[in-house]
């Protein structure tokens, strides 16, 4: 008995298309129903976001995941559907040898272009939101990243004989480097580094920015919830990069004012001008770390 070719019909192709569309719709529906900001699963691994600007970043992240899952579902539906529908059903049958499928090729050319355009437009929009600067922020914090600790300055926050700037500098432990911020306020972070590139970031703010020597980077956030959050350096800056941790305390205005007053009462936390590195980067703590690092070279 000779081999026979099955009849060419549009049935299997239509079934594959329907399966692919159905898979995409199902994944999209599941992604949208699970897209809740109340759980980490709904945020697709992102922490709870406590700034106004961070919400836009979170929604961009969620949309990207939903689009990626839907694209994967459609792709797998097309692959597995073709394997199943065009399989060899008997020993004397030769499956249809289709050289190309014009609708699928058009789909795989046009749809990625549309996705790139949509992602690009939303990314630019969110980037503009994240980098927008209010000319009159409620609080300005001058942040110094240096090997290997953070210094947080609150300029013009007190009026004492020792100066008007209060600051706190860490020793490599997160609890030793508190950053206090008032809730429902626009905070401007001005970033400085006297040595190498660091990365100032707070995951719950959904924002980070490089701290570059010789360049004054800055960004703003508007806090929306009180709580304690973690921050760290996001750039591998040297041997003790892991020490660059800090705790962020978003508190009510009264507690924030009390914290600044407490720092202002201690001359060791007061200076005439913001401490931006330079001579201060040669403190005994840093000298000890530099000597230890030199032993490893």
């Amino acid at each position: 008995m000779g081999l026979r070719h099955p009849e060419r019909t549009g049935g299997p192709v239509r079934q594959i298309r329907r399966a692919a569309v159905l898979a995409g719709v199902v994944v999209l529906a599941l992604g949208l129903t699970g897209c809740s900001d109340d759980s980490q699963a709904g945020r697709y691994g992102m922490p709870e976001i406590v700034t106004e600007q961070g919400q836009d970043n979170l929604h961009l992240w969620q949309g990207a995941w939903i689009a990626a899952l839907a694209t994967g579902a459609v792709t797998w539906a097309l692959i597995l559907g073709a394997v199943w529908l065009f399989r060899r059903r008997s020993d004397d049958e030769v499956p249809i040898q289709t050289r190309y499928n014009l609708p699928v090729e058009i789909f795989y050319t046009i749809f990625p272009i549309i996705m790139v355009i949509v992602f690009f437009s939303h990314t630019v929009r969110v980037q503009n939101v994240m980098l927008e600067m209010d000319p009159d922020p409620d609080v300005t914090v001058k942040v110094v990243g240096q090997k290997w600790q953070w210094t947080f300055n609150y300029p013009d926050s007190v009026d004492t004989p020792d100066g008007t700037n209060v600051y706190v500098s860490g020793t490599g432990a997160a609890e030793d480097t508190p950053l206090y911020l008032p809730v429902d306020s626009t905070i401007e972070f001005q970033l400085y580094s006297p040595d190498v590139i660091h990365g100032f970031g707070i995951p719950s703010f959904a924002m980070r920015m490089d701290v570059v020597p010789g360049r004054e980077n800055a960004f703003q956030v508007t806090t929306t919830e009180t709580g304690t959050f973690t921050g760290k350096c996001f750039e591998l800056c040297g041997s003790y990069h892991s020490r660059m941790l800090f705790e962020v305390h978003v508190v009510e205005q009264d507690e924030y004012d009390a914290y600044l007053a407490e720092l202002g009462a201690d001359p060791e936390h007061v200076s005439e001008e913001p401490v931006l590195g330079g001579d201060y980067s040669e403190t005994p703590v840093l000298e000890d770390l530099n000597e230890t690092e030199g032993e490893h070279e």
Side-chain angles (χ1 to χ4, degrees), residues 130-148:
M130 301 295 289
L131 297 180
E132 184 178 357
M133 301 291 283
D134 186 334
D136 188 23
D138 298 308
V139 175
T140 297
V141 181
K142 293 183 180 291
V143 178
V144 182
Q146 55 193 13
K147 298 188 296 184
W148 283 274

Side-chain angles (χ1 to χ4, degrees), residues 45-59:
M46 288 276 278
E48 181 182 3
I49 306 303
V50 295
T51 62
E52 291 182 3
Q53 296 83 352
Q55 291 297 328
D56 289 87
N57 208 354
L58 171 62
H59 295 155

Side-chain angles (χ1 to χ4, degrees), residues 17-246:
R17 294 174 186 167
R18 291 172 183 170
V21 172
L22 179 61
V25 170
V26 169
V27 171
L28 184 60
L30 291 175
L32 291 175
T33 55
C35 190
S36 170
D37 296 351
D38 298 331
S39 66
Q40 193 171 31
R43 295 188 298 268
Y44 296 97
M46 288 276 278
E48 181 182 3
I49 306 303
V50 295
T51 62
E52 291 182 3
Q53 296 83 352
Q55 291 297 328
D56 289 87
N57 208 354
L58 171 62
H59 295 155
L60 177 64
W61 172 259
Q62 291 172 320
W65 267 105
I66 292 172
L69 291 172
T71 301
V74 170
T75 301
W76 279 106
L78 289 171
I79 294 173
L80 298 178
V83 171
W84 173 257
L85 293 173
F86 296 105
R87 70 190 185 280
R88 187 172 184 174
R89 292 177 172 81
S90 63
D91 293 339
D92 61 345
E93 179 186 34
V94 176
I96 296 174
Q97 305 301 301
T98 303
R99 291 177 296 174
Y100 59 88
N101 186 304
L102 190 57
V104 172
E105 291 184 8
I106 294 175
F107 172 77
Y108 266 112
T109 301
I110 300 300
F111 191 70
I113 295 176
I114 296 175
M115 287 185 65
V116 169
I117 293 173
V118 171
F119 276 133
F120 180 80
S121 63
H122 281 291
T123 299
V124 171
R125 179 187 62 81
V126 172
Q127 177 179 275
N128 292 336
V129 170
M130 301 295 289
L131 297 180
E132 184 178 357
M133 301 291 283
D134 186 334
D136 188 23
D138 298 308
V139 175
T140 297
V141 181
K142 293 183 180 291
V143 178
V144 182
Q146 55 193 13
K147 298 188 296 184
W148 283 274
Q149 63 181 2
W150 295 100
T151 299
F152 302 122
N153 296 272
Y154 303 86
D156 302 323
S157 54
V158 296
D159 186 8
T160 68
D162 297 307
T164 60
N165 177 76
V166 297
Y167 67 93
V168 60
S169 187
T171 60
E175 61 273 13
D176 294 337
T177 320
L179 171 61
Y180 274 76
L181 305 171
V183 71
D184 298 324
S185 302
T186 299
I187 317 295
E188 179 172 324
F189 296 106
Q190 298 177 359
L191 310 178
Y192 303 86
S193 171
D195 40 52
V196 299
I197 296 176
H198 303 279
F200 176 77
I202 304 168
S204 291
F205 288 6
M207 181 62 180
R208 60 162 294 271
M209 184 173 283
D210 283 347
V211 188
V212 183
R215 178 168 181 171
E216 298 180 5
N217 286 344
F219 68 91
Q220 295 180 349
V221 297
T222 301
T223 54
T224 58
E225 297 182 26
T226 60
T228 301
F229 313 98
T230 59
K232 59 183 178 179
C233 178
F234 281 79
E235 292 287 351
L236 184 58
C237 54
S239 301
Y240 294 93
H241 162 72
S242 60
R243 290 176 179 262
M244 298 194 66
L245 308 172
F246 59 94

